[in-house]
DNA sequence: GTCTATAATTAGATAGAC
DNA sequence: GTCTATCTAATTATAGAC
Protein backbone atom coordinates (compact mmCIF):
# COMPACT_ATOMS: atom_id res chain seq x y z
CA UNK A 1 0.00 0.00 0.00
CA UNK A 2 2.35 2.70 -1.18
CA UNK A 3 -0.37 5.34 -1.43
CA UNK A 4 -1.73 5.43 2.11
CA UNK A 5 -1.36 9.17 2.65
CA UNK A 6 -0.15 12.39 1.09
CA UNK A 7 -1.76 14.72 -1.40
CA UNK A 8 -2.67 13.76 -4.95
CA UNK A 9 -3.17 10.11 -3.98
CA UNK A 10 -6.93 9.95 -4.05
CA UNK A 11 -7.15 9.53 -7.84
CA UNK A 12 -5.52 6.14 -7.56
CA UNK A 13 -8.09 4.93 -5.09
CA UNK A 14 -10.87 6.46 -7.11
CA UNK A 15 -9.63 4.57 -10.14
CA UNK A 16 -9.56 1.36 -8.18
CA UNK A 17 -13.12 1.85 -7.09
CA UNK A 18 -14.22 2.64 -10.61
CA UNK A 19 -12.48 -0.50 -11.79
CA UNK A 20 -14.37 -2.56 -9.26
CA UNK A 21 -17.66 -1.03 -10.30
CA UNK A 22 -16.91 -1.66 -13.94
CA UNK A 23 -16.19 -5.29 -13.16
CA UNK A 24 -19.46 -5.60 -11.30
CA UNK A 25 -21.46 -3.97 -14.05
CA UNK A 26 -19.88 -6.25 -16.61
CA UNK A 27 -20.61 -9.33 -14.52
CA UNK A 28 -24.26 -8.37 -14.10
CA UNK A 29 -24.66 -7.54 -17.76
CA UNK A 30 -22.93 -10.75 -18.79
CA UNK A 31 -25.16 -12.91 -16.61
CA UNK A 32 -28.23 -11.28 -18.05
CA UNK A 33 -27.08 -11.53 -21.65
CA UNK A 34 -25.77 -15.10 -21.42
CA UNK A 35 -28.95 -16.24 -19.69
CA UNK A 36 -31.06 -14.81 -22.47
CA UNK A 37 -29.10 -15.75 -25.56
CA UNK A 38 -26.72 -18.48 -24.50
CA UNK A 39 -22.95 -18.38 -24.76
CA UNK A 40 -22.66 -18.50 -28.52
CA UNK A 41 -25.65 -16.25 -28.98
CA UNK A 42 -24.36 -13.29 -27.02
CA UNK A 43 -21.74 -10.90 -28.29
CA UNK A 44 -19.26 -9.24 -26.02
CA UNK A 45 -20.34 -5.98 -27.60
CA UNK A 46 -23.88 -6.57 -26.38
CA UNK A 47 -22.59 -7.17 -22.87
CA UNK A 48 -20.47 -4.02 -22.97
CA UNK A 49 -23.46 -2.01 -24.18
CA UNK A 50 -25.69 -3.32 -21.40
CA UNK A 51 -23.03 -2.48 -18.85
CA UNK A 52 -22.56 0.94 -20.40
CA UNK A 53 -18.82 0.51 -20.96
CA UNK A 54 -16.69 0.23 -24.04
CA UNK A 55 -16.14 -3.28 -25.27
CA UNK A 56 -12.34 -3.47 -25.10
CA UNK A 57 -12.77 -3.24 -21.34
CA UNK A 58 -13.97 -6.82 -21.34
CA UNK A 59 -10.60 -7.98 -22.57
CA UNK A 60 -8.95 -5.79 -20.01
CA UNK A 61 -10.93 -7.09 -17.04
CA UNK A 62 -11.62 -10.69 -18.02
CA UNK A 63 -9.19 -11.61 -20.79
CA UNK A 64 -11.86 -13.11 -23.05
CA UNK A 65 -15.49 -14.15 -23.45
CA UNK A 66 -15.04 -17.57 -21.88
CA UNK A 67 -13.45 -16.17 -18.73
CA UNK A 68 -16.17 -13.57 -18.45
CA UNK A 69 -18.80 -16.30 -18.64
CA UNK A 70 -17.05 -18.27 -15.94
CA UNK A 71 -16.73 -15.27 -13.65
CA UNK A 72 -20.39 -14.37 -14.08
CA UNK A 73 -21.55 -17.95 -13.50
CA UNK A 74 -19.28 -18.38 -10.51
CA UNK A 75 -20.72 -15.29 -8.90
CA UNK A 76 -24.40 -16.33 -9.01
CA UNK A 77 -23.81 -19.96 -8.25
CA UNK A 78 -21.64 -19.16 -5.24
CA UNK A 79 -24.28 -16.77 -3.99
CA UNK A 80 -26.96 -19.37 -4.59
CA UNK A 81 -25.21 -22.23 -2.82
CA UNK A 82 -24.30 -20.02 0.13
CA UNK A 83 -27.90 -18.96 0.53
CA UNK A 84 -29.10 -22.54 0.31
CA UNK A 85 -26.68 -23.86 2.88
CA UNK A 86 -27.55 -20.94 5.10
CA UNK A 87 -31.23 -21.87 4.92
CA UNK A 88 -30.25 -25.43 5.84
CA UNK A 89 -28.18 -24.16 8.74
CA UNK A 90 -31.01 -22.05 10.09
CA UNK A 91 -33.33 -25.05 9.96
CA UNK A 92 -30.81 -27.37 11.62
CA UNK A 93 -33.01 -27.89 14.66
CA UNK A 94 -36.17 -28.53 12.69
CA UNK A 95 -37.62 -31.95 12.11
CA UNK A 96 -36.20 -33.56 8.94
CA UNK A 97 -39.25 -32.87 6.80
CA UNK A 98 -39.41 -29.22 7.78
CA UNK A 99 -35.69 -28.80 7.21
CA UNK A 100 -35.98 -30.06 3.64
CA UNK A 101 -39.14 -28.02 3.15
CA UNK A 102 -37.27 -24.88 4.15
CA UNK A 103 -34.49 -25.67 1.70
CA UNK A 104 -37.00 -26.14 -1.08
CA UNK A 105 -38.66 -22.84 -0.24
CA UNK A 106 -35.28 -21.09 -0.17
CA UNK A 107 -34.46 -22.69 -3.51
CA UNK A 108 -37.68 -21.53 -5.15
CA UNK A 109 -37.45 -18.03 -3.71
CA UNK A 110 -33.88 -17.49 -4.82
CA UNK A 111 -34.63 -18.95 -8.24
CA UNK A 112 -37.44 -16.48 -8.59
CA UNK A 113 -35.26 -13.56 -7.49
CA UNK A 114 -32.51 -14.53 -9.91
CA UNK A 115 -34.16 -16.30 -12.84
CA UNK A 116 -30.94 -15.74 -14.78
CA UNK A 117 -29.23 -18.51 -12.82
CA UNK A 118 -31.59 -21.20 -14.01
CA UNK A 119 -31.83 -19.80 -17.50
CA UNK A 120 -28.05 -19.94 -17.71
CA UNK A 121 -28.01 -23.52 -16.48
CA UNK A 122 -30.66 -24.62 -18.96
CA UNK A 123 -28.90 -22.85 -21.82
CA UNK A 124 -25.65 -24.60 -21.09
CA UNK A 125 -27.13 -28.03 -20.49
CA UNK A 126 -28.43 -28.35 -24.02
CA UNK A 127 -25.00 -29.36 -25.25
CA UNK A 128 -21.83 -30.65 -23.73
CA UNK A 129 -19.14 -28.01 -23.40
CA UNK A 130 -16.18 -27.11 -21.19
CA UNK A 131 -18.54 -24.66 -19.49
CA UNK A 132 -21.03 -27.37 -18.57
CA UNK A 133 -18.23 -29.59 -17.29
CA UNK A 134 -16.97 -26.74 -15.15
CA UNK A 135 -20.45 -25.95 -13.85
CA UNK A 136 -21.10 -29.55 -12.87
CA UNK A 137 -17.74 -29.99 -11.19
CA UNK A 138 -17.63 -26.70 -9.33
CA UNK A 139 -21.24 -26.15 -8.31
CA UNK A 140 -23.85 -28.71 -9.32
CA UNK A 141 -22.24 -31.91 -8.14
CA UNK A 142 -21.15 -30.67 -4.69
CA UNK A 143 -24.68 -29.48 -3.98
CA UNK A 144 -26.16 -32.71 -5.28
CA UNK A 145 -23.98 -34.84 -3.01
CA UNK A 146 -25.14 -32.99 0.08
CA UNK A 147 -28.84 -32.87 -0.68
CA UNK A 148 -29.35 -36.34 -2.11
CA UNK A 149 -28.13 -37.86 1.14
CA UNK A 150 -30.77 -36.01 3.11
CA UNK A 151 -33.37 -37.05 0.60
CA UNK A 152 -32.45 -40.69 1.07
CA UNK A 153 -32.94 -40.28 4.80
CA UNK A 154 -36.35 -38.79 4.19
CA UNK A 155 -37.20 -41.73 1.97
CA UNK A 156 -36.34 -44.27 4.65
CA UNK A 157 -38.50 -42.30 7.06
CA UNK A 158 -41.42 -42.53 4.66
CA UNK A 159 -41.56 -38.78 4.26
CA UNK A 160 -40.28 -38.60 0.68
CA UNK A 161 -41.75 -41.02 -1.86
CA UNK A 162 -39.78 -44.18 -2.75
CA UNK A 163 -37.77 -44.67 -5.93
CA UNK A 164 -34.38 -43.67 -7.31
CA UNK A 165 -33.13 -40.79 -5.11
CA UNK A 166 -31.31 -39.25 -8.07
CA UNK A 167 -34.58 -39.16 -9.97
CA UNK A 168 -36.35 -37.61 -7.01
CA UNK A 169 -33.67 -34.98 -6.41
CA UNK A 170 -33.66 -33.86 -10.01
CA UNK A 171 -37.44 -33.78 -10.21
CA UNK A 172 -37.56 -31.40 -7.27
CA UNK A 173 -34.83 -29.32 -8.82
CA UNK A 174 -36.39 -28.95 -12.26
CA UNK A 175 -39.82 -28.44 -10.75
CA UNK A 176 -38.45 -25.38 -9.01
CA UNK A 177 -35.89 -24.03 -11.43
CA UNK A 178 -37.62 -25.06 -14.62
CA UNK A 179 -40.83 -23.30 -13.70
CA UNK A 180 -38.92 -20.13 -12.95
CA UNK A 181 -36.84 -20.30 -16.11
CA UNK A 182 -40.01 -20.82 -18.14
CA UNK A 183 -41.92 -18.06 -16.35
CA UNK A 184 -42.30 -15.96 -19.48
CA UNK A 185 -43.76 -18.75 -21.55
CA UNK A 186 -45.94 -20.02 -18.72
CA UNK A 187 -47.46 -16.58 -18.27
CA UNK A 188 -48.34 -16.43 -21.95
CA UNK A 189 -49.75 -19.92 -22.30
CA UNK A 190 -51.57 -20.27 -19.01
CA UNK A 191 -51.90 -16.81 -17.50
CA UNK A 192 -49.91 -17.80 -14.44
CA UNK A 193 -47.51 -15.03 -13.46
CA UNK A 194 -44.62 -16.46 -11.50
CA UNK A 195 -43.18 -13.03 -10.89
CA UNK A 196 -45.86 -12.39 -8.29
CA UNK A 197 -44.47 -13.29 -4.86
CA UNK A 198 -47.60 -15.10 -3.70
CA UNK A 199 -47.56 -17.29 -6.81
CA UNK A 200 -43.97 -18.16 -6.02
CA UNK A 201 -45.01 -19.20 -2.53
CA UNK A 202 -47.85 -21.29 -3.97
CA UNK A 203 -45.33 -22.99 -6.22
CA UNK A 204 -43.01 -23.72 -3.30
CA UNK A 205 -45.90 -25.04 -1.22
CA UNK A 206 -47.12 -27.30 -3.99
CA UNK A 207 -43.64 -28.73 -4.53
CA UNK A 208 -43.26 -29.41 -0.81
CA UNK A 209 -46.67 -31.11 -0.65
CA UNK A 210 -45.97 -33.19 -3.74
CA UNK A 211 -42.48 -34.35 -2.89
CA UNK A 212 -42.74 -34.63 0.88
CA UNK A 213 -46.17 -36.21 1.37
CA UNK A 214 -45.18 -38.01 4.60
CA UNK A 215 -45.29 -36.47 8.04
CA UNK A 216 -42.64 -35.77 10.64
CA UNK A 217 -41.89 -37.58 13.87
CA UNK A 218 -44.15 -40.02 15.65
CA UNK A 219 -47.08 -39.25 13.41
CA UNK A 220 -45.25 -40.67 10.44
CA UNK A 221 -44.32 -43.86 12.20
CA UNK A 222 -47.87 -44.26 13.44
CA UNK A 223 -49.31 -43.63 10.01
CA UNK A 224 -47.10 -46.33 8.53
CA UNK A 225 -47.79 -48.81 11.28
CA UNK A 226 -51.58 -48.37 11.30
CA UNK B 1 -49.32 -31.98 -64.04
CA UNK B 2 -47.80 -31.51 -67.47
CA UNK B 3 -45.33 -34.37 -67.07
CA UNK B 4 -47.53 -37.35 -66.43
CA UNK B 5 -46.13 -39.59 -69.18
CA UNK B 6 -43.68 -39.74 -72.05
CA UNK B 7 -39.94 -40.24 -72.22
CA UNK B 8 -37.35 -37.89 -70.77
CA UNK B 9 -39.63 -36.78 -67.97
CA UNK B 10 -38.10 -38.66 -65.11
CA UNK B 11 -35.30 -36.11 -64.44
CA UNK B 12 -37.92 -33.56 -63.37
CA UNK B 13 -39.43 -35.93 -60.85
CA UNK B 14 -35.96 -36.89 -59.63
CA UNK B 15 -35.20 -33.25 -59.03
CA UNK B 16 -38.44 -32.83 -57.12
CA UNK B 17 -37.57 -35.74 -54.88
CA UNK B 18 -34.09 -34.40 -54.24
CA UNK B 19 -35.61 -31.07 -53.36
CA UNK B 20 -37.88 -32.72 -50.82
CA UNK B 21 -35.00 -34.63 -49.30
CA UNK B 22 -32.91 -31.48 -49.09
CA UNK B 23 -35.74 -29.73 -47.27
CA UNK B 24 -36.03 -32.61 -44.84
CA UNK B 25 -32.32 -32.72 -44.17
CA UNK B 26 -32.28 -28.98 -43.57
CA UNK B 27 -35.23 -29.20 -41.19
CA UNK B 28 -33.61 -31.97 -39.17
CA UNK B 29 -30.27 -30.20 -39.04
CA UNK B 30 -31.93 -26.92 -38.10
CA UNK B 31 -33.87 -28.48 -35.23
CA UNK B 32 -30.72 -30.05 -33.89
CA UNK B 33 -28.61 -26.90 -34.20
CA UNK B 34 -31.23 -24.51 -32.84
CA UNK B 35 -31.91 -26.81 -29.88
CA UNK B 36 -28.24 -26.87 -28.99
CA UNK B 37 -27.22 -23.27 -29.51
CA UNK B 38 -30.42 -21.26 -29.57
CA UNK B 39 -31.62 -19.08 -32.41
CA UNK B 40 -29.02 -16.36 -32.17
CA UNK B 41 -26.28 -18.85 -31.40
CA UNK B 42 -26.65 -20.96 -34.52
CA UNK B 43 -25.43 -19.93 -37.92
CA UNK B 44 -27.15 -20.94 -41.09
CA UNK B 45 -23.78 -22.18 -42.29
CA UNK B 46 -23.65 -24.61 -39.41
CA UNK B 47 -27.09 -25.88 -40.33
CA UNK B 48 -26.12 -26.27 -43.96
CA UNK B 49 -22.96 -28.14 -42.97
CA UNK B 50 -24.89 -30.53 -40.72
CA UNK B 51 -27.36 -31.17 -43.52
CA UNK B 52 -24.53 -31.65 -45.99
CA UNK B 53 -25.80 -29.04 -48.41
CA UNK B 54 -24.49 -25.68 -49.54
CA UNK B 55 -25.67 -22.77 -47.48
CA UNK B 56 -27.38 -20.70 -50.16
CA UNK B 57 -29.90 -23.52 -50.38
CA UNK B 58 -31.36 -22.33 -47.10
CA UNK B 59 -32.40 -19.08 -48.68
CA UNK B 60 -33.75 -20.99 -51.62
CA UNK B 61 -35.89 -23.37 -49.61
CA UNK B 62 -36.84 -21.26 -46.59
CA UNK B 63 -36.21 -17.64 -47.49
CA UNK B 64 -34.31 -16.82 -44.30
CA UNK B 65 -33.17 -18.02 -40.86
CA UNK B 66 -36.38 -17.05 -39.10
CA UNK B 67 -38.59 -18.98 -41.54
CA UNK B 68 -36.33 -21.99 -41.27
CA UNK B 69 -36.65 -21.91 -37.48
CA UNK B 70 -40.41 -21.71 -37.77
CA UNK B 71 -40.60 -24.58 -40.23
CA UNK B 72 -38.38 -26.78 -38.06
CA UNK B 73 -40.32 -25.96 -34.89
CA UNK B 74 -43.64 -26.47 -36.61
CA UNK B 75 -42.59 -29.91 -37.75
CA UNK B 76 -41.67 -31.32 -34.32
CA UNK B 77 -44.44 -29.64 -32.43
CA UNK B 78 -47.07 -30.84 -34.87
CA UNK B 79 -45.67 -34.35 -34.63
CA UNK B 80 -45.62 -34.09 -30.86
CA UNK B 81 -49.18 -32.83 -30.45
CA UNK B 82 -50.51 -35.40 -32.89
CA UNK B 83 -48.83 -38.19 -30.96
CA UNK B 84 -50.17 -36.88 -27.68
CA UNK B 85 -53.73 -36.57 -28.88
CA UNK B 86 -53.45 -40.01 -30.40
CA UNK B 87 -52.42 -41.44 -27.02
CA UNK B 88 -55.42 -39.68 -25.52
CA UNK B 89 -57.68 -41.11 -28.19
CA UNK B 90 -56.44 -44.64 -27.62
CA UNK B 91 -57.09 -44.29 -23.91
CA UNK B 92 -60.57 -42.82 -24.43
CA UNK B 93 -62.28 -45.78 -22.77
CA UNK B 94 -59.94 -45.86 -19.78
CA UNK B 95 -60.81 -44.53 -16.37
CA UNK B 96 -59.87 -40.83 -16.04
CA UNK B 97 -56.74 -41.44 -14.02
CA UNK B 98 -55.41 -44.07 -16.40
CA UNK B 99 -56.20 -41.85 -19.39
CA UNK B 100 -54.13 -39.00 -17.97
CA UNK B 101 -51.41 -41.45 -16.92
CA UNK B 102 -51.18 -42.71 -20.49
CA UNK B 103 -50.85 -39.15 -21.77
CA UNK B 104 -48.07 -38.45 -19.30
CA UNK B 105 -46.25 -41.59 -20.35
CA UNK B 106 -46.63 -40.70 -24.02
CA UNK B 107 -45.34 -37.22 -23.23
CA UNK B 108 -42.25 -38.48 -21.43
CA UNK B 109 -41.50 -41.11 -24.06
CA UNK B 110 -41.73 -38.69 -26.94
CA UNK B 111 -39.71 -36.08 -25.07
CA UNK B 112 -37.01 -38.67 -24.58
CA UNK B 113 -37.09 -39.69 -28.24
CA UNK B 114 -36.89 -36.09 -29.39
CA UNK B 115 -35.03 -34.14 -26.71
CA UNK B 116 -34.51 -31.39 -29.25
CA UNK B 117 -38.14 -30.34 -28.88
CA UNK B 118 -37.82 -29.46 -25.23
CA UNK B 119 -34.37 -27.99 -25.63
CA UNK B 120 -35.74 -25.73 -28.32
CA UNK B 121 -38.63 -24.68 -26.10
CA UNK B 122 -36.37 -23.92 -23.15
CA UNK B 123 -33.94 -22.00 -25.33
CA UNK B 124 -36.70 -19.78 -26.68
CA UNK B 125 -38.45 -19.23 -23.37
CA UNK B 126 -35.51 -17.43 -21.84
CA UNK B 127 -36.46 -14.24 -23.59
CA UNK B 128 -39.54 -12.84 -25.24
CA UNK B 129 -39.36 -12.94 -29.02
CA UNK B 130 -41.65 -13.24 -32.03
CA UNK B 131 -40.66 -16.90 -32.07
CA UNK B 132 -41.87 -17.49 -28.52
CA UNK B 133 -45.12 -15.67 -29.27
CA UNK B 134 -45.64 -17.84 -32.31
CA UNK B 135 -44.84 -21.02 -30.38
CA UNK B 136 -47.28 -20.18 -27.62
CA UNK B 137 -50.06 -19.22 -30.00
CA UNK B 138 -49.69 -22.08 -32.44
CA UNK B 139 -48.73 -25.02 -30.25
CA UNK B 140 -48.41 -24.47 -26.51
CA UNK B 141 -51.65 -22.71 -25.70
CA UNK B 142 -53.94 -25.03 -27.69
CA UNK B 143 -52.48 -28.05 -25.95
CA UNK B 144 -52.72 -26.35 -22.58
CA UNK B 145 -56.40 -25.56 -23.03
CA UNK B 146 -57.24 -29.18 -23.72
CA UNK B 147 -55.19 -30.79 -20.98
CA UNK B 148 -55.82 -28.34 -18.15
CA UNK B 149 -59.54 -29.05 -18.41
CA UNK B 150 -58.99 -32.74 -17.88
CA UNK B 151 -56.68 -31.97 -14.98
CA UNK B 152 -59.39 -29.93 -13.30
CA UNK B 153 -61.74 -32.85 -13.62
CA UNK B 154 -59.18 -35.10 -11.99
CA UNK B 155 -58.82 -32.58 -9.18
CA UNK B 156 -62.54 -32.57 -8.43
CA UNK B 157 -62.40 -36.36 -8.39
CA UNK B 158 -59.63 -36.27 -5.81
CA UNK B 159 -57.21 -38.01 -8.16
CA UNK B 160 -54.96 -35.03 -8.83
CA UNK B 161 -53.83 -32.91 -5.88
CA UNK B 162 -55.66 -29.63 -5.17
CA UNK B 163 -54.31 -26.17 -6.01
CA UNK B 164 -54.05 -23.91 -9.03
CA UNK B 165 -54.58 -26.16 -12.09
CA UNK B 166 -52.24 -23.99 -14.15
CA UNK B 167 -49.51 -24.57 -11.59
CA UNK B 168 -50.19 -28.29 -11.60
CA UNK B 169 -50.22 -28.56 -15.39
CA UNK B 170 -46.94 -26.75 -15.76
CA UNK B 171 -45.29 -28.74 -13.00
CA UNK B 172 -46.13 -31.97 -14.78
CA UNK B 173 -44.88 -30.50 -18.02
CA UNK B 174 -41.52 -29.28 -16.75
CA UNK B 175 -41.05 -32.42 -14.69
CA UNK B 176 -41.19 -34.37 -17.91
CA UNK B 177 -39.62 -32.08 -20.46
CA UNK B 178 -37.15 -30.37 -18.15
CA UNK B 179 -35.65 -33.65 -17.02
CA UNK B 180 -35.20 -34.73 -20.62
CA UNK B 181 -33.74 -31.41 -21.72
CA UNK B 182 -31.30 -31.53 -18.83
CA UNK B 183 -30.38 -35.17 -19.41
CA UNK B 184 -26.75 -34.39 -20.20
CA UNK B 185 -26.18 -32.39 -17.05
CA UNK B 186 -28.15 -34.80 -14.89
CA UNK B 187 -26.03 -37.69 -16.08
CA UNK B 188 -22.85 -35.83 -15.15
CA UNK B 189 -23.96 -34.56 -11.75
CA UNK B 190 -25.90 -37.56 -10.51
CA UNK B 191 -25.02 -40.52 -12.70
CA UNK B 192 -28.61 -40.94 -13.84
CA UNK B 193 -28.73 -41.70 -17.56
CA UNK B 194 -32.09 -40.67 -18.97
CA UNK B 195 -31.21 -42.05 -22.36
CA UNK B 196 -31.77 -45.56 -21.06
CA UNK B 197 -35.34 -46.61 -21.86
CA UNK B 198 -36.00 -48.16 -18.46
CA UNK B 199 -34.91 -44.97 -16.71
CA UNK B 200 -37.35 -43.09 -18.89
CA UNK B 201 -40.10 -45.43 -17.80
CA UNK B 202 -39.12 -44.96 -14.16
CA UNK B 203 -39.32 -41.23 -14.67
CA UNK B 204 -42.78 -41.51 -16.21
CA UNK B 205 -43.95 -43.79 -13.41
CA UNK B 206 -42.66 -41.47 -10.73
CA UNK B 207 -44.38 -38.49 -12.32
CA UNK B 208 -47.65 -40.39 -12.54
CA UNK B 209 -47.40 -41.48 -8.91
CA UNK B 210 -46.51 -37.98 -7.74
CA UNK B 211 -49.11 -36.04 -9.63
CA UNK B 212 -51.97 -38.54 -9.65
CA UNK B 213 -51.89 -39.93 -6.12
CA UNK B 214 -55.65 -40.59 -6.01
CA UNK B 215 -57.34 -43.72 -7.27
CA UNK B 216 -59.89 -44.33 -9.99
CA UNK B 217 -63.57 -45.14 -9.72
CA UNK B 218 -65.42 -46.27 -6.62
CA UNK B 219 -62.21 -46.79 -4.69
CA UNK B 220 -61.48 -43.09 -4.84
CA UNK B 221 -64.92 -42.09 -3.62
CA UNK B 222 -64.72 -44.65 -0.82
CA UNK B 223 -61.29 -43.48 0.19
CA UNK B 224 -62.46 -39.91 0.44
CA UNK B 225 -65.66 -40.81 2.30
CA UNK B 226 -64.01 -43.14 4.83
C1' DG C 1 -32.52 -27.00 -58.64
C1' DT C 2 -27.66 -26.15 -57.56
C1' DC C 3 -23.51 -23.79 -57.48
C1' DT C 4 -19.71 -19.87 -57.14
C1' DA C 5 -18.78 -15.39 -55.91
C1' DT C 6 -19.51 -11.66 -53.24
C1' DA C 7 -21.82 -7.76 -50.75
C1' DA C 8 -22.78 -5.87 -46.25
C1' DT C 9 -22.64 -6.57 -41.36
C1' DT C 10 -21.01 -8.05 -37.18
C1' DA C 11 -18.06 -10.90 -34.35
C1' DG C 12 -13.81 -11.44 -30.90
C1' DA C 13 -9.61 -9.61 -29.97
C1' DT C 14 -5.58 -6.35 -29.95
C1' DA C 15 -2.42 -2.15 -30.50
C1' DG C 16 -1.28 1.94 -28.95
C1' DA C 17 -2.56 6.84 -27.64
C1' DC C 18 -3.98 9.18 -23.53
C1' DG D 1 -7.60 2.49 -16.09
C1' DT D 2 -9.81 4.05 -20.37
C1' DC D 3 -10.36 5.18 -25.05
C1' DT D 4 -10.05 5.16 -30.45
C1' DA D 5 -8.85 2.68 -34.27
C1' DT D 6 -8.33 -1.45 -36.50
C1' DC D 7 -7.28 -6.40 -37.75
C1' DT D 8 -9.11 -10.89 -38.93
C1' DA D 9 -12.69 -13.95 -39.23
C1' DA D 10 -17.39 -15.23 -39.46
C1' DT D 11 -22.11 -13.95 -40.20
C1' DT D 12 -26.71 -13.39 -43.20
C1' DA D 13 -28.14 -12.70 -47.49
C1' DT D 14 -28.10 -12.06 -52.56
C1' DA D 15 -26.73 -12.00 -57.59
C1' DG D 16 -26.02 -14.48 -61.37
C1' DA D 17 -23.67 -18.52 -63.91
C1' DC D 18 -24.78 -23.25 -64.97
Amino acid sequence: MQEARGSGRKPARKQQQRSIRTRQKLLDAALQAFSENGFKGTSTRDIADRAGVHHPLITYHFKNKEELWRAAADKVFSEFTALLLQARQQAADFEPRERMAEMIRAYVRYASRKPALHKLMLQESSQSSPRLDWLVRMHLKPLYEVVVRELETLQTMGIAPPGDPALLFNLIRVSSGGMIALALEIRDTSGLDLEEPDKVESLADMIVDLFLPGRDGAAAAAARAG
Side-chain angles (χ1 to χ4, degrees), chain A:
Chain A
M1 310 300 169
Q2 65 273 48
E3 38 86 10
R5 56 186 153 276
S7 62
R9 283 293 163 50
K10 266 184 181 158
R13 191 176 278 156
K14 237 181 197 166
Q15 277 195 351
Q16 263 193 19
Q17 289 213 343
R18 184 171 47 172
S19 176
I20 293 172
R21 279 209 13 254
T22 298
R23 258 188 82 96
Q24 287 298 334
K25 283 194 291 185
L26 279 172
L27 285 174
D28 291 345
L31 176 64
Q32 201 60 32
F34 284 135
S35 76
E36 289 174 7
N37 295 316
F39 183 78
K40 284 188 67 177
T42 72
S43 69
T44 53
R45 277 176 155 84
D46 177 25
I47 295 172
D49 286 350
R50 289 177 194 238
V53 306
H54 292 148
H55 59 273
L57 282 180
I58 288 180
T59 314
Y60 178 76
H61 285 283
F62 298 97
K63 183 174 171 170
N64 60 29
K65 193 180 171 182
E66 188 92 26
E67 291 297 320
L68 173 56
W69 183 92
R70 198 168 296 208
D74 200 46
K75 190 177 168 229
V76 255
F77 275 88
S78 299
E79 216 176 279
F80 179 57
T81 308
L83 212 132
L84 224 57
L85 295 183
Q86 182 191 325
R88 182 156 156 272
Q89 199 63 28
Q90 287 176 350
D93 298 336
F94 290 16
E95 299 257 23
R97 189 194 120 106
E98 260 317 299
R99 186 162 62 244
M100 182 60 73
E102 275 309 302
M103 278 188 77
I104 291 177
R105 290 196 190 95
Y107 193 105
V108 174
R109 281 182 203 128
Y110 185 86
S112 145
R113 252 192 25 237
K114 280 256 164 77
L117 180 142
H118 283 89
K119 287 182 186 179
L120 193 82
M121 189 158 50
L122 288 170
Q123 297 270 12
E124 286 303 326
S125 302
S126 57
Q127 191 186 186
S128 112
S129 71
R131 295 179 300 281
L132 181 58
D133 292 345
W134 175 89
L135 200 57
V136 167
R137 192 177 67 253
M138 299 296 286
H139 293 285
L140 269 23
K141 198 159 185 167
L143 186 60
Y144 169 77
E145 305 284 2
V146 171
V147 180
V148 80
R149 215 157 285 148
E150 300 199 26
L151 261 182
E152 286 173 22
T153 308
L154 290 169
Q155 284 185 308
T156 62
M157 297 175 75
I159 292 173
D164 186 340
L167 209 48
L168 193 61
F169 169 85
N170 284 295
L171 272 170
I172 296 176
R173 197 165 72 86
V174 305
S175 292
S176 314
M179 291 287 283
I180 298 300
L182 280 174
L184 235 169
E185 184 249 284
I186 288 176
R187 176 169 57 80
D188 288 350
T189 85
S190 48
L192 173 66
D193 189 354
L194 285 171
E195 289 184 12
E196 294 176 17
D198 61 316
K199 300 289 181 187
V200 174
E201 289 303 314
S202 299
L203 170 61
D205 289 342
M206 192 177 268
I207 291 172
V208 168
D209 290 343
L210 279 168
F211 290 94
L212 304 176
R215 279 163 292 175
D216 256 325
R224 270 178 300 144

